[in-house]
Amino acid sequence: MTARPISLEELLAVAELQTRVDRKYLLPTSQLALIDDADPDLRVLEIAGSTSHRYASCYLDTADLESYLLAAHGRPRRYKVRTRTYRDSGEEFLEVKTRSVRGETVKDRLPLADASRTERHRFAPATVRERTGIELPAVSPLQPVLDVTYSRTTYLLPASDSRVTVDTDLEWTQVRTGRRLALPGWAVVETKTTGRPCALDHLLWHCGIRPRRMSKYTCGLALTGDADLPTNRWHRTMTQLREHAVVPAAAA
């Protein structure tokens, strides 16, 4: 089955999902054809004639890696801050992702093209405080920690107005050391719903593929970072990532 294209405007009109429940899966790219069977009316995001779009994210954290450690210890109030660049268009946003009390992911974003220096400086601390009650340290501002690049294909499942993103060609670069790792032949598949599992979730479960505790930031930093970073919550995922992650040819 070939998914029919959908424009960004159409997709956002029915499934913007800035507040949502995310479920993540780690799949070999050979199994991505399963997505075609999730919805007979499957749509794929198409922009300027392309269905694969290049992303670059730079994750920011405090000097003592508060954001990473909150996630590592499973704190219900936690946050992630990143800049995201859509490499095909050049658009750039500052984004803050937090968890609601119901376990939903909430994403707030600031377009950087027209933002003042003051807006850029205040956005993350104010958003983190409002969403979680956490005060970012004034004496230790957020700093770049990890760069992540990948290609993304986005689908709409019209039956549930759910989104599915498929990220391939992942590459992580730790800012402090410059260490790089890539994940060829594997994809991070994420379902984004209003709460209830969508048809793709049920299909993957039927095939024995279960959701993973993982994020590109925490797992990427653990892969490229210091050995003493806690990774217990992602042990199963980290074991698989370490088995398949490689040094990119250009960095070898």
Side-chain angles (χ1 to χ4, degrees), residues 109-178:
R109 59 184 351 203
L110 174 71
L112 291 180
D114 300 317
S116 68
R117 183 175 180 179
T118 299
E119 288 174 321
R120 295 177 182 221
H121 180 73
R122 291 180 177 175
F123 178 75
T127 303
V128 170
R129 183 188 312 115
E130 177 184 351
R131 295 292 190 190
T132 69
I134 297 172
E135 291 283 349
L136 295 182
V139 296
S140 178
L142 295 171
Q143 52 193 285
V145 173
L146 186 74
D147 290 323
V148 187
T149 60
Y150 52 95
S151 297
R152 169 168 289 185
T153 302
T154 301
Y155 297 93
L156 171 71
L157 276 59
S160 58
D161 287 340
S162 302
R163 284 208 326 259
V164 175
T165 57
V166 179
D167 297 339
T168 56
D169 304 320
L170 270 93
E171 185 173 313
W172 295 276
T173 304
Q174 188 189 149
V175 172
R176 181 176 60 85
T177 65

Side-chain angles (χ1 to χ4, degrees), residues 16 39 48 58 60 64 71 94 124 144 190 198 213 216 218 234 248 250:
E16 186 172 13
D39 190 317
C58 179
L60 312 174
D64 59 357
L94 178 59
E190 186 170 350
C198 66
R213 282 180 173 171
K216 296 184 189 69
T218 55
W234 313 297

Side-chain angles (χ1 to χ4, degrees), residues 25-136:
Y25 305 86
L26 188 60
L27 270 70
T29 53
S30 59
Q31 291 187 298
L32 291 179
L34 287 170
I35 297 171
D36 292 340
D37 299 325
D39 190 317
D41 297 316
L42 188 70
R43 310 287 298 276
V44 62
L45 176 64
E46 182 176 289
I47 300 175
S50 177
T51 58
S52 179
H53 310 106
R54 298 179 301 157
Y55 284 55
S57 296
C58 179
Y59 287 87
L60 312 174
D61 210 334
T62 61
D64 59 357
L65 300 180
E66 178 183 60
S67 172
Y68 178 95
L69 293 174
L70 288 171
H73 296 301
R75 298 292 186 260
R77 295 187 305 152
R78 56 186 187 262
Y79 66 90
K80 285 201 290 279
V81 180
R82 70 188 178 202
T83 60
R84 167 168 284 179
T85 303
Y86 296 86
R87 298 171 73 181
D88 299 323
S89 67
E91 290 184 289
E92 188 175 17
F93 296 84
L94 178 59
E95 298 184 340
V96 178
K97 294 180 72 174
T98 53
R99 282 295 186 95
S100 75
V101 294
R102 296 191 299 172
E104 298 169 320
T105 298
V106 181
K107 183 168 74 172
D108 295 277
R109 59 184 351 203
L110 174 71
L112 291 180
D114 300 317
S116 68
R117 183 175 180 179
T118 299
E119 288 174 321
R120 295 177 182 221
H121 180 73
R122 291 180 177 175
F123 178 75
T127 303
V128 170
R129 183 188 312 115
E130 177 184 351
R131 295 292 190 190
T132 69
I134 297 172
E135 291 283 349
L136 295 182

Side-chain angles (χ1 to χ4, degrees), residues 191-248:
T191 63
K192 307 170 192 285
T193 75
T194 56
R196 299 181 64 181
C198 66
L200 180 60
D201 290 307
H202 288 293
L203 178 59
L204 293 175
W205 299 349
H206 179 74
C207 295
I209 302 168
R210 307 301 296 181
R212 295 295 189 94
R213 282 180 173 171
M214 65 179 299
S215 82
K216 296 184 189 69
Y217 172 50
T218 55
C219 291
L221 187 60
L223 278 174
T224 61
D226 300 327
D228 59 352
L229 286 175
T231 61
N232 291 348
R233 296 188 75 239
W234 313 297
H235 175 74
R236 179 166 164 257
T237 301
M238 291 300 301
T239 298
Q240 192 166 8
L241 289 175
R242 288 190 177 106
E243 180 180 352
H244 296 286
V246 301
V247 177

